[in-house]
């Protein structure tokens, strides 16, 4: 126990003075316990002393026991060695006898095999001398197996002698077989009935000999068979391009007439296959020489006929020795070009299309498996397609030139016969010349892909590009042309363009046709890239052609806008001729507004029904970016504008704005109307703001101009003063004050979603002095009172026109009038 525990124990035992009387008994008890513990310790020490002595005695006894054990182990080991020596002495003679037996058995077996080998070689020699090929073939197999047992005895003279003799016999057999096969094809097989059977047996001997013998025999046979072919077709009479078909007729006739005779060859030799490969190589070399020695360009008809016959022959060989479905798949790919005239393909059409592709793919897999099974030998996978026909490739430029000439003539004829109208009942608003042109291109592609899929097809694709670019030029030339005159800046075109209702329909047909050509040109490039040789696939690109048709679409839509703009010229001129300075009262909308409405309600429905949504939206964007700024600038072309005239013009502006906002509904295409409406509202609000500036009093016209038209210029402001009818002297003082304070207060403008003709103006922080002029509510109310000064005399209708125009403006000081 530690100190604190002892103290706690004492305090617990003697908590008060009265308990101290028990100290003596407790001390006596503790003394007794101490004596008991001491006695126990003494007893334990005595016992431990006795145990140490006993432990030493036990250790000495254990040591003696170990020594005795080691002695016994050494004795046992000595006896074991003696026993092993005794056993070896007993078995020494038995081991010698065992080895002797094994050697004798091996010797007897070797001698027996040697006897068999000697006998077999002797028999083989007799068979070889008598040309007993069938028996010799079996004997060859036996001798080969016996020889394999004597590989370890190659240096023994007798074995060397036998091997050399066997080698000579094989050479004799080879010479006999080659000699007999030399008579094949000479007519002896019909005279000697057993010759074919003898040659069939000789093939067994060849199979038993080295593989090189079989290769040499087949090569000799093929070369001998084609010797007469080379002699016949190297002559001056048949060494011509127009005689190409006779070459293939010769080999087919040769194979047909000798089919029964050639059955003597084992199927595993593939003699016919090897003969056709050699024939193709020799034919290619001769045709290359003929084409190279031509003094002038070959006749296209003769060249294509020779190529066609060559391709047909290659296809026959490919089908005979492992065909495919290449041509059928190519035809399917070409048929898909231009199928997407109507974008809404039915589910059944799509399902049928992919079922055809799946069936063709499965058919190709089956034929490939069959071909692999039949021709599972080295070289059996040889590709016959192109082995001969590829030599025509460098000389097919005349064919490409002819195709280009034909396509260009067809294009000219199609354009001349084009009515520039759509037949009744037609589901697509595409010109017939567009669809007919691609039908002609598809036929040309079919012809070429049936002949070649290499450089010539790539060159023909370049021809297609030139033809389609020429057609784009034809479409471009058909667009109405403009004369010289003043044109709205938004169009960026030279000359005014007058378009009739028929011209507008033709332009829409041109847009749709260009869109069809753009899409189909992409499909054409995709199909060609699948057909053409892979090394040319990366170069297949119709993007330049598609860019041409995109340019035609853009030009057509801009021409359409400009044609409508030209129709508005008369109404814009009529607007400037209205005596705005002498109007006595505000009435209904003016006649020029009704004329603008008439023009749009006549043209827009037809355009909306003919144009696709994306191009109709593009047309609306261009129309809005043209008419808005033009109406604004046309106000400055008017003469003096009185207060009543400005109010009437403000009413007309609101009416024109409403008409323009209804244009998407007229065209029955409202998908993108939100952005168009926002842009129209923004542009027409500028004209409304201009008229409000003209309505403002002379003393506050500068402040109003800065507030409503912060992007205005001093020249524009001076023109406004002239429209208000101020004299030069009065104008000068106002202009001086205007120039001192700056042109206007730039306010942050929300950029429109439609890209305008000019980039949006960057926001400018207003200067403190300018802010001080218009920031107070009193100034704004004063200008508003000035604007509404004539409300009592012109009636409630005039007041409504002014307030509604102010409400449409989302920013600016006047908006505060309607946001209390």
């Amino acid at each position: 126990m530690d100190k604190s525990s002892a103290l706690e124990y004492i305090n617990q035992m003697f908590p008060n003075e009265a308990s101290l009387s028990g100290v003596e008994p407790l001390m006596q008890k503790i003394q007794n316990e101490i004596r008991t513990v001491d006695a126990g310790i003494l007893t334990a020490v005595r016992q431990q002393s006795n145990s140490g002595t006993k432990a030493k005695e036990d250790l000495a006894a254990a040591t003696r026991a170990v020594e005795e054990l080691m002695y016994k182990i050494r004795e046992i080991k000595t006896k074991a060695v003696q026993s092993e020596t005794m056993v070896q002495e007993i078995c020494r003679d038995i081991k010698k006898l065992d080895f002797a037996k094994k050697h004798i058995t091996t010797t007897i077996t070797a001698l027996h095999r040697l006897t068999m080998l000697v006998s077999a070689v002797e028999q083989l020699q007799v068979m070889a001398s008598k040309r007993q090929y069938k028996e010799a073939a079996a004997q060859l197999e036996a001798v080969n197996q016996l020889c394999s047992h004597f590989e370890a005895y190659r240096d023994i003279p007798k074995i060397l002698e036998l091997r050399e003799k066997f080698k000579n016999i094989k050479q004799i057999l080879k010479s006999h077989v080659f000699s007999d096969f030399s008579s094949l094809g000479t007519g002896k097989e019909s005279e000697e009935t057993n010759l074919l059977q003898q040659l069939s047996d000789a093939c067994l001997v060849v199979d038993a000999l080295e593989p090189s013998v079989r290769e040499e025999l087949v090569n000799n046979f093929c070369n001998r068979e084609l010797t007469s072919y080379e002699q016949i077709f190297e002559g001056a009479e048949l060494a011509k391009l127009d005689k190409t078909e006779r070459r293939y007729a010769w080999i087919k006739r040769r194979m047909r007439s000798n089919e029964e005779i050639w059955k003597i060859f084992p199927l595993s030799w593939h003699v016919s296959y090897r003969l056709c490969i050699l024939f193709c190589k020799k034919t290619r070399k001769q045709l290359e020489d003929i084409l190279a020695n031509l003094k002038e360009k070959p006749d296209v008809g003769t060249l294509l006929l020779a190529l066609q016959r060559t391709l047909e022959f290659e296809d026959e060989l490919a089908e005979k020795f492992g065909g495919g479905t290449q041509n059928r798949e190519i035809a399917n790919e070409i048929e898909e070009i231009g199928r997407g005239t109507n974008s809404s393909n039915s589910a059944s059409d799509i399902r049928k299309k992919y079922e055809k592709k799946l069936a063709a793919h499965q058919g190709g897999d089956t034929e490939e498996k069959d071909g692999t099974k039949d021709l599972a030998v080295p070289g059996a996978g040889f590709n016959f397609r192109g082995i001969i026909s590829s030599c025509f490739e460098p000389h097919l430029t005349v064919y490409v030139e002819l195709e280009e000439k034909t396509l260009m003539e067809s294009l000219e004829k199609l354009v001349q016969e084009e009515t520039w109208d759509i037949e009744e009942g037609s589901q697509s608003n595409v010109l017939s010349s567009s669809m007919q042109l691609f039908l002609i291109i598809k036929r040309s592609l079919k012809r070429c892909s049936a002949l070649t899929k290499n450089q010539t097809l790539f060159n023909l694709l370049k021809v297609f590009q030139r033809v389609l670019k020429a057609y784009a030029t034809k479409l471009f030339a058909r667009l109405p042309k403009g004369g010289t005159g003043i044109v709205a800046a938004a169009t960026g075109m030279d000359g005014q363009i007058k378009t009739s209702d028929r011209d507008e329909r033709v332009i829409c047909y041109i847009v749709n046709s260009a869109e069809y050509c753009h899409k189909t040109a992409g499909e054409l490039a995709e199909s060609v890239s699948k057909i053409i040789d892979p090394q040319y696939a990366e170069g297949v690109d119709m993007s330049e052609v598609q860019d041409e048709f995109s340019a035609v679409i853009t030009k057509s839509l801009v021409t359409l806008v400009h044609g409508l703009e030209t129709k508005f010229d008369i109404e814009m001129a009529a607007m400037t001729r209205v005596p705005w300075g002498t109007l006595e009262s505000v009435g209904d909308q003016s006649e020029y507004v009704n004329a603008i409405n008439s023009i749009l309600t006549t043209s827009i429905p037809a355009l909306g029904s003919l144009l696709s949504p994306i191009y109709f939206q593009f047309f609306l964007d261009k129309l809005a970016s043209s008419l808005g700024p033009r109406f604004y600038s046309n106000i400055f072309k008017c003469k003096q504008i009185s207060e009543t005239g400005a109010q009437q013009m403000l009413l007309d502006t609101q009416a024109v704005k409403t008409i323009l906002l209804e244009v998407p509904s007229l065209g029955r295409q409202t998908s993108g109307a939100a952005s168009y409406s926002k842009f129209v509202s923004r542009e027409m609000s500028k004209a409304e703001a201009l008229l409000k500036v003209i309505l403002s009093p002379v003393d506050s016209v500068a402040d109003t101009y800065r507030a409503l038209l912060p992007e205005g210029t001093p020249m524009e402001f001076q023109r406004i003063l002239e429209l208000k009818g101020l004299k030069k002297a009065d104008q000068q003082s106002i202009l001086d004050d205007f120039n001192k304070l700056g042109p206007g207060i730039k306010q942050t403008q929300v950029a429109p979603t439609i890209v305008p003709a000019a980039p949006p103006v960057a926001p400018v922080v207003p200067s403190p002095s300018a802010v001080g002029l218009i920031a107070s509510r009193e100034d704004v109310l004063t200008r508003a009172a000035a604007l509404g000064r004539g409300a009592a005399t012109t009636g409630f209708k005039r007041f409504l026109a002014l307030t509604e125009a102010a409400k449409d403006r989302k920013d600016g000081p006047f908006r505060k009038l309607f946001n209390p």
Side-chain angles (χ1 to χ4, degrees), residues 10 318 531 563 636:
I10 294 172
I531 296 169
F636 288 101

Side-chain angles (χ1 to χ4, degrees), residues 458-756:
F458 188 75
N459 294 339
L460 186 64
L461 179 67
K462 299 295 183 184
V463 171
F464 293 159
Q465 292 176 350
R466 291 193 289 271
V467 171
L468 290 173
K469 287 180 181 178
Y471 182 65
T473 305
K474 298 288 185 184
L475 294 178
F476 191 88
R478 182 59 182 80
L479 294 174
K481 298 296 185 295
T484 57
I486 301 174
V487 183
T491 61
M493 298 172 58
D494 296 327
Q496 295 179 335
I497 299 177
K498 295 182 179 180
T499 55
S500 62
D501 292 343
R502 185 178 186 281
D503 289 336
E504 291 176 353
R505 289 199 306 274
V506 170
I507 293 173
C508 292
Y509 296 149
I510 290 176
V511 170
N512 295 334
S513 300
E515 181 185 12
Y516 168 78
C517 293
H518 182 283
K519 179 181 178 182
T520 312
E523 295 175 358
L524 175 65
E526 183 179 354
S527 297
V528 172
S529 63
K530 294 179 180 178
I531 296 169
I532 201 168
D533 192 85
Q535 62 178 326
Y536 299 99
E538 292 184 1
V540 175
D541 184 21
M542 297 290 279
S543 58
E544 292 184 4
V545 173
Q546 291 178 313
D547 291 343
E548 291 283 338
F549 286 110
S550 297
V552 171
I553 293 172
T554 304
K555 178 71 174 179
S556 301
L557 293 174
V558 172
T559 302
L560 204 58
V561 172
H562 194 55
L564 277 178
E565 203 177 45
T566 303
K567 290 182 179 182
F568 293 143
D569 287 347
I570 298 175
E571 315 312 327
M572 293 293 104
M575 175 182 172
T576 60
R577 290 195 296 269
V578 174
W580 302 107
T582 58
L583 284 182
E584 295 179 357
S585 63
V586 178
D588 292 334
Q589 61 190 31
S590 303
E591 287 299 323
Y592 74 90
V593 177
N594 295 330
I596 291 175
N597 185 35
S598 176
I599 292 171
L600 291 175
T601 53
T602 302
S603 299
I604 295 301
L607 300 180
S609 63
L610 293 176
L611 293 176
S612 62
I614 184 172
Y615 294 124
F616 185 72
Q617 181 62 39
F618 181 84
F619 163 76
L620 291 182
D621 295 348
K622 289 291 183 182
L623 184 65
S625 63
S626 170
L627 291 183
R630 186 178 185 190
F631 190 88
Y632 178 85
S633 63
N634 205 57
I635 296 176
F636 288 101
K637 296 179 182 178
C638 297
K639 297 180 180 179
Q640 182 178 345
I641 302 176
S642 65
E643 182 178 349
T644 304
Q647 293 167 356
Q648 177 65 49
M649 192 178 292
L650 189 61
L651 181 64
D652 293 344
T653 302
Q654 186 67 31
V656 171
K657 177 181 177 181
T658 302
I659 292 170
L660 292 178
L661 290 175
E662 292 176 353
V663 166
S665 300
L666 288 174
R668 297 180 181 179
Q669 296 191 23
T670 58
S671 57
S675 59
Y676 165 79
S677 300
K678 185 176 181 180
F679 188 69
V680 168
S681 299
R682 186 175 70 84
E683 291 299 324
M684 295 306 295
S685 295
K686 293 181 181 179
E688 294 172 353
L690 174 60
L691 293 172
K692 291 173 186 177
V693 173
I694 296 174
L695 279 170
S696 62
V698 175
D699 55 350
S700 63
V701 66
D703 295 341
T704 305
Y705 181 70
R706 289 191 187 93
L708 297 183
L709 296 170
E711 68 277 7
T713 62
M715 292 182 63
E716 191 178 88
F717 180 66
Q718 183 178 359
R719 178 58 185 152
I720 292 174
L721 297 180
E722 293 175 355
L723 292 175
K724 289 177 70 66
L726 296 179
K727 297 179 181 180
K728 292 289 184 183
D730 297 334
Q731 292 180 22
Q732 192 59 43
S733 60
I734 297 175
L735 283 172
D736 291 342
D737 294 339
F738 178 80
N739 291 329
K740 288 179 182 178
L741 295 175
I745 305 168
K746 300 292 182 183
Q747 298 180 357
T748 303
Q749 301 290 330
V750 178
T753 57
I754 303 174
V755 180

Side-chain angles (χ1 to χ4, degrees), residues 16 180 239 403 405 425 463:
N16 47 45
D180 291 345
E403 284 285 359
K405 180 181 177 182
V463 171

Side-chain angles (χ1 to χ4, degrees), residues 92 199 236 297 439 596 658 770:
R92 183 180 297 124
L199 292 178
K297 288 185 178 180
L439 286 176
I596 291 175
T658 302

